């Protein structure tokens, strides 16, 4: 298993605005949608790579992956029927540096991406970002009544270590609700 090297401060600063390729294929079970890449991820080239991000442990806790994947194993998600994209493509130090208009434009881009790749579910990771991007100020976690094209929408908490509202066990339970819905769909 490849161990990621820790980027330098200069590398992180230089990563502002970089983009990352999606981990995506047609007709996935779930396309997980982060808010935007971290500077750390943009430097090392793997989604949810920053130490302290709980995305990978959460997927395992929810029964989505057979073990806790390392970020370097992100492409193995495709064989399980899962992928990764972001609402906004550009990397920032924190998601709160994104303007509301960027999130709204990102939602429009997601519509095109979802129409092209047709995942069964689009799972947006971050309720506040979802509310802004999709113009749904009262949206709550869980399944959404509206769809994006033919894909069902589901909102989950942001697994970033910066989100102290949810610990790993709570994240695992919420992500497992999505897994069960996917299995029943």
């Amino acid at each position: 298993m490849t161990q990621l090297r820790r980027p330098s401060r200069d590398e992180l600063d230089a990563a502002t605005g970089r983009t990352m390729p999606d981990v995506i294929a047609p007709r996935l079970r779930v396309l997980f949608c982060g808010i935007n890449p971290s500077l750390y991820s943009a430097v090392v080239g793997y989604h949810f790579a920053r130490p302290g991000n709980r995305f990978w442990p959460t997927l395992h806790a929810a029964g989505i992956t057979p073990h806790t994947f390392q970020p370097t194993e992100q492409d193995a998600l495709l064989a399980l029927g899962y992928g990764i994209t972001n609402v906004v493509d550009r990397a920032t130090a924190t998601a709160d540096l994104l303007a509301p208009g960027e999130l709204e434009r990102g939602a429009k881009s997601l519509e095109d991406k979802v129409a092209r790749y047709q995942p069964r579910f689009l799972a947006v990771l971050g309720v506040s970002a979802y509310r802004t991007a999709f113009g749904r100020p009262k949206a709550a976690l869980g399944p959404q009544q509206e769809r994006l094209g033919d894909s069902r929408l589901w909102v989950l908490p942001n697994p970033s270590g910066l989100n102290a509202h949810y610990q790993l066990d709570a994240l695992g339970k919420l992500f497992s609700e999505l897994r069960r819905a996917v299995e029943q769909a």
Side-chain angles (χ1 to χ4, degrees), residues 22 32-37 47 84-89 110 113:
D22 293 333
F32 289 107
C33 183
I35 300 168
N36 73 309
H47 292 274
I84 303 172
T85 191
N86 289 288
V87 176
V88 174
D89 291 332
L110 270 176
K113 193 175 294 186

Side-chain angles (χ1 to χ4, degrees), residues 22-155:
D22 293 333
V23 176
I24 196 167
R27 293 174 292 286
L28 293 168
R29 298 171 87 187
V30 177
L31 181 59
F32 289 107
C33 183
I35 300 168
N36 73 309
S38 70
L39 297 178
Y40 197 105
S41 286
V43 171
V44 301
Y46 297 100
H47 292 274
F48 302 104
R50 188 170 194 264
N53 191 297
R54 296 158 307 170
F55 179 75
W56 301 106
T58 298
L59 293 186
H60 179 60
I64 292 170
T65 58
H67 64 272
T68 301
F69 281 13
Q70 296 301 307
T72 55
E73 297 176 275
Q74 68 183 18
D75 290 339
L77 282 176
L78 294 174
L80 300 174
Y82 298 93
I84 303 172
T85 191
N86 289 288
V87 176
V88 174
D89 291 332
R90 76 176 183 97
T92 60
T94 61
D96 63 356
L97 295 173
L98 299 171
E102 285 182 279
L103 292 166
E104 292 162 2
R105 286 188 300 278
K108 298 291 184 218
S109 294
L110 270 176
E111 288 179 37
D112 295 339
K113 193 175 294 186
V114 166
R116 179 177 178 197
Y117 288 98
Q118 303 175 342
R120 288 181 18 211
F121 287 79
L122 177 70
V124 179
L125 309 181
V127 67
S128 295
Y130 175 80
R131 289 173 180 157
T132 301
F134 289 89
R136 303 278 188 234
K138 297 186 186 304
L141 295 173
Q144 305 302 301
Q145 289 196 355
E146 63 272 7
R147 289 178 174 255
L148 195 59
D150 292 331
S151 300
R152 292 182 58 190
L153 280 167
W154 201 284
V155 178

Side-chain angles (χ1 to χ4, degrees), residues 29-30 59 61-65 82 154 174-185:
R29 298 171 87 187
V30 177
L59 293 186
I64 292 170
T65 58
Y82 298 93
W154 201 284
L174 290 167
F175 277 59
S176 70
E177 290 173 13
L178 170 61
R179 178 188 51 79
R180 284 192 297 276
V182 169
E183 290 170 352
Q184 294 171 2

